[in-house]
């Protein structure tokens, strides 16, 4: 039996795509192994969002350039594959297969071409034949499952490669999403995460024509499902209906990831984000007005071309105003084909680094304050793992906070996948610590 190894970089969309690819390969009779050394076929499912991410795959490929790569076949999947296309063969001549995410349904065919000795095989069409129906998906986690509801992106943020690497937006039918949710519930899954680059741009292609809030409400009604999450939301299409749905049904997790990118309307305009700071803040106010204490997280880019010190100060001020529960922050990275490349006023790397460090320290203080407010409260967690080194269980709250806890008088049973109430006893900037509530 031929053996494959796969390593995945990038976002949850890629993680879930790899689950689909693994399912497809297993169905073709390949066996999965844990190291590239043990494999005949080595797959890298790649990310291109920043230059560093793109470099990772070429570094990996470099490691196998000579002797150690002999007899192995290398395949590049995902966003770098789509972006670089046949150029991958020039940059790494020992690669034999280059395939973007819209062509994964062609993988069985492409593998046959490889088996037949073809040395340069590609799947790069963005014709977007349906790739949603993937009965072969091999899910990694037995409790929490991803469901893709929308692929691609129709926005054109000036810094971003995604519209090029994942093509135009296409939504899956509500019938098919609900069917998969029910199947997952009957397979024992209790948490569902709806995925898309812009989940809230979802538009049901059937005559029902559901918007995202309606789909969310309906997935939340699936018997057996205890938690529903979704990511990522674009502020422009983020309607109050989504918040109302969360306010009304506790199965819908009280966490929203709403990437802002910058606190300066001028920078947002140059980024072509299609909203102003005020419009973004209105959405934050809807969330803060919900009775459910919604955790809010975001993405921020510092050092976008033309970002002045004053623009940057506005971003810091936005952090203070919103008080995010967590922030993913990045230095602007120049990406191929993107409009921002043409801007004349790029910032030096060390200035971007300086701003990033200031922003991260500011946010750290906010998180220490915010998480501190949970000490003494009881939170329900889904148990995700056990840390042998600390003797703590790893739990996740509905707000998506990590809550590490001990369970006194614990009989040694495996708690992973169960839901427990935990009293929070301590808080740090990135996680909470607690003790399971013991029922008498
Ligand atoms: N669709 C999501 C973003 C997906 S990409 C949205 O619109 O919000 C994830 C994050 O990577 C983005 O939110 C952005 O903060 C960051 N990012 C994207 N392109 C980048 C670039 N060229 N340089 C630095 N960060 C970038
Ligand atoms: Fe990229 Fe913008 Fe699309 Fe998000 S909305 S994926 S940042 S182009
Ligand atoms: Fe990266 Fe592609 Fe996701 S560029 S962030 S893997 S959509």
């Amino acid at each position: 039996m031929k053996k494959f190894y796969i390593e995945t970089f990038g976002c949850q969309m890629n993680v879930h795509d790899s689950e689909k690819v693994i399912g497809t390969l297993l169905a073709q009779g390949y066996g999965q192994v844990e190291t590239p050394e043990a494999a005949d076929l080595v797959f890298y499912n790649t990310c291109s969002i920043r230059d560093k991410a793109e470099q990772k795959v070429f570094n990996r490929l470099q490691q196998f350039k000579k002797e150690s790569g002999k007899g192995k076949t290398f395949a590049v999947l995902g966003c770098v594959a789509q972006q670089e296309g046949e150029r991958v063969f020039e940059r790494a001549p020992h690669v034999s297969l280059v395939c973007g995410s819209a062509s994964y349904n062609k993988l069985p065919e492409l593998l046959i071409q490889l088996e037949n000795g073809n040395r340069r095989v590609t799947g790069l069409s963005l014709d977007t034949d349906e790739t949603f129906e993937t009965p072969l998906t091999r899910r990694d986690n037995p409790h929490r499952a991803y469901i893709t509801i929308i692929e691609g992106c129709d926005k054109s943020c000036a810094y971003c490669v995604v519209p090029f690497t994942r093509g135009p937006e296409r939504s899956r039918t509500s019938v098919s999403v609900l069917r998969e949710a029910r199947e997952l519930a009957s397979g024992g899954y209790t948490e569902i995460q709806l995925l898309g680059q812009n989940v809230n741009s979802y538009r049901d292609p059937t005559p029902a024509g559901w918007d995202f809030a309606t789909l969310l409400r309906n997935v939340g009604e699936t018997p057996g499902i205890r938690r529903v999450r979704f990511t990522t939301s674009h502020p422009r299409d983020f309607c109050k209906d989504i918040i109302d749905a969360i306010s009304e049904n506790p199965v819908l997790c009280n966490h929203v990831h709403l990437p802002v990118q910058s606190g300066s309307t001028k920078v947002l305009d140059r980024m072509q984000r299609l909203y102003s700071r005020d419009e973004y803040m209105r959405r934050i106010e809807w969330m803060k007005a919900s009775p459910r204490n919604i955790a809010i997280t975001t993405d921020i880019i510092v050092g976008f071309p033309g970002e002045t010190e004053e623009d940057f100060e506005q971003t810091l001020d936005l952090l203070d105003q919103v008080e995010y529960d967590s922030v993913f922050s990045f230095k602007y990275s120049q990406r191929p084909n993107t409009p921002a490349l043409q801007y004349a006023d790029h910032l030096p790397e060390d200035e971007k680094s300086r701003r990033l460090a200031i922003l991260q320290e500011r946010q750290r203080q906010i998180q220490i304050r915010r998480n501190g407010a949970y000490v003494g409260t009881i939170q329900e967690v889904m148990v995700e793992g056990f840390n042998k080194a600390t003797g703590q269980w790893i739990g996740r709250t509905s707000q998506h906070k990590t809550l590490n806890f001990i369970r006194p008088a614990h009989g040694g049973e495996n708690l992973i996948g169960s839901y427990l109430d935990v009293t929070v006893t301590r808080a740090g900037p990135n996680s909470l610590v607690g003790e399971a509530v013991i029922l008498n």
Side-chain angles (χ1 to χ4, degrees):
M1 181 174 55
K2 285 231 170 188
K3 299 190 182 71
F4 74 93
Y5 166 82
I6 185 164
E7 182 175 0
T8 307
F9 306 93
C11 61
Q12 282 122 320
M13 304 279 285
N14 256 19
V15 172
H16 186 37
D17 283 348
S18 285
E19 294 180 332
K20 298 177 194 173
V21 170
I22 291 169
T24 305
L25 290 168
L26 294 174
Q28 298 294 309
Y30 292 83
Q32 189 174 7
V33 292
E34 294 302 314
T35 63
E37 286 75 20
D40 308 299
L41 264 131
V42 178
F43 288 86
Y44 293 111
N45 189 4
T46 62
C47 172
S48 173
I49 202 78
R50 285 167 289 276
D51 185 54
K52 256 196 201 149
E54 176 176 341
Q55 292 317 321
K56 268 188 200 157
V57 58
F58 290 105
N59 291 340
R60 286 287 195 283
L61 287 166
Q62 191 68 25
Q63 290 168 9
F64 288 103
K65 216 170 164 182
K66 298 201 187 82
E67 278 307 302
S68 56
K70 284 246 168 77
K72 292 189 199 306
T73 303
F74 290 89
V76 176
L77 308 177
C79 290
V80 174
Q82 193 67 49
Q83 175 192 294
E84 291 297 289
E86 308 219 343
R87 279 196 301 271
V88 172
F89 298 133
E90 289 158 32
R91 294 175 71 177
H94 52 311
V95 169
S96 306
L97 172 66
V98 176
C99 182
S101 64
S103 304
Y104 291 159
N105 54 350
K106 303 207 180 70
L107 269 177
E109 246 171 81
L110 301 177
L111 289 167
I112 291 171
Q113 290 181 33
L114 275 185
E115 299 262 329
N116 290 342
N118 201 329
R119 283 281 296 119
R120 292 273 188 269
V121 177
T122 57
L124 294 169
S125 155
L126 271 181
D127 290 348
T128 62
D129 317 0
E130 194 58 83
T131 51
F132 290 124
E133 297 297 337
T134 46
L136 301 174
T137 304
R138 173 58 67 99
R139 288 189 162 87
D140 215 25
N141 180 314
H143 310 291
R144 184 188 53 218
Y146 296 123
I147 301 184
T148 309
I149 62 164
I150 177 169
E151 287 273 8
C153 178
D154 280 352
K155 304 278 190 295
S156 47
C157 303
Y159 49 80
C160 186
V161 290
V162 173
F164 309 103
T165 65
R166 288 194 171 257
E169 251 167 41
R170 58 267 185 215
S171 293
R172 179 174 175 180
T173 66
S174 56
V175 176
S176 149
V177 172
L178 292 179
R179 190 195 314 123
E180 190 166 6
R182 282 194 301 271
E183 281 168 11
L184 289 167
S186 59
Y189 291 89
T190 57
E191 179 174 319
I192 283 176
Q193 187 158 349
L194 304 177
L195 292 184
Q197 278 302 341
N198 293 309
V199 276
N200 53 331
S201 309
Y202 177 82
R203 183 58 71 172
D204 184 4
T206 71
W210 286 0
D211 62 6
F212 176 64
T214 310
L215 182 76
L216 184 64
R217 282 177 196 274
N218 279 277
V219 174
E221 297 298 325
T222 312
I225 295 301
R226 296 184 62 161
R227 285 184 173 178
V228 179
R229 305 183 180 281
F230 56 91
T231 195
T232 289
S233 301
H234 191 285
R236 160 75 175 235
D237 310 322
F238 196 83
C239 319
K240 186 160 175 302
D241 279 0
I242 301 169
I243 300 303
D244 293 342
I246 294 174
S247 299
E248 288 159 24
N249 183 359
V251 167
L252 307 180
C253 289
N254 50 345
H255 169 223
V256 173
H257 184 65
L258 197 63
V260 65
Q261 314 301 357
S262 168
S264 154
T265 296
K266 190 196 89 196
V267 173
L268 290 172
D269 278 349
R270 293 195 94 203
M271 287 178 166
Q272 299 168 36
R273 283 293 285 181
L274 311 173
Y275 54 84
S276 65
R277 176 181 173 134
D278 287 349
E279 283 162 342
Y280 182 85
M281 283 310 297
R282 202 167 316 137
R283 284 147 182 79
I284 298 294
E285 280 151 25
W286 294 338
M287 289 193 251
K288 299 225 174 208
S290 164
R292 283 208 52 213
N293 189 13
I294 297 175
I296 310 171
T297 58
T298 202
D299 295 343
I300 287 176
I301 297 176
V302 299
F304 187 72
E307 183 189 74
T308 62
E309 190 63 35
E310 205 213 315
D311 293 322
F312 175 60
E313 289 289 335
Q314 288 185 30
T315 300
L316 295 178
D317 177 71
L318 182 95
L319 293 187
D320 291 343
Q321 222 184 319
V322 178
E323 295 208 284
Y324 289 106
D325 291 88
S326 165
V327 172
F328 297 92
S329 48
F330 312 101
K331 290 189 277 185
Y332 166 72
S333 168
Q334 296 187 16
R335 306 308 295 127
N337 310 317
T338 57
L341 274 186
Q342 311 304 323
Y343 293 165
D345 36 11
H346 287 269
L347 273 74
E349 208 50 37
D350 54 353
E351 178 57 19
K352 291 192 237 176
S353 302
R354 187 186 73 86
R355 291 184 190 181
L356 187 68
I358 294 172
L359 181 127
Q360 290 182 340
E361 180 49 29
R362 183 86 149 236
Q363 179 57 26
R364 210 177 92 87
Q365 297 304 327
I366 292 171
Q367 285 174 209
I368 289 173
R369 250 198 339 270
R370 271 192 83 74
N371 284 345
Y374 288 88
V375 175
T377 65
I378 293 176
Q379 303 288 325
E380 186 191 52
V381 298
M382 193 233 230
V383 186
E384 291 191 338
F386 182 72
N387 183 337
K388 278 201 189 110
T390 61
Q392 289 172 323
W393 294 95
I394 304 161
R396 177 86 53 193
T397 69
S398 174
Q399 292 188 315
H400 207 249
K401 290 181 189 285
T402 303
L403 171 46
N404 299 311
F405 65 98
I406 50 164
R407 185 154 181 256
H410 172 246
E413 77 268 40
N414 184 3
L415 298 177
I416 295 173
S418 57
Y419 289 78
L420 293 177
D421 281 340
V422 176
T423 308
V424 179
T425 53
R426 276 187 293 132
N430 299 313
S431 62
L432 308 172
V433 178
E435 199 173 305
V437 175
I438 304 291
L439 299 173
N440 290 313

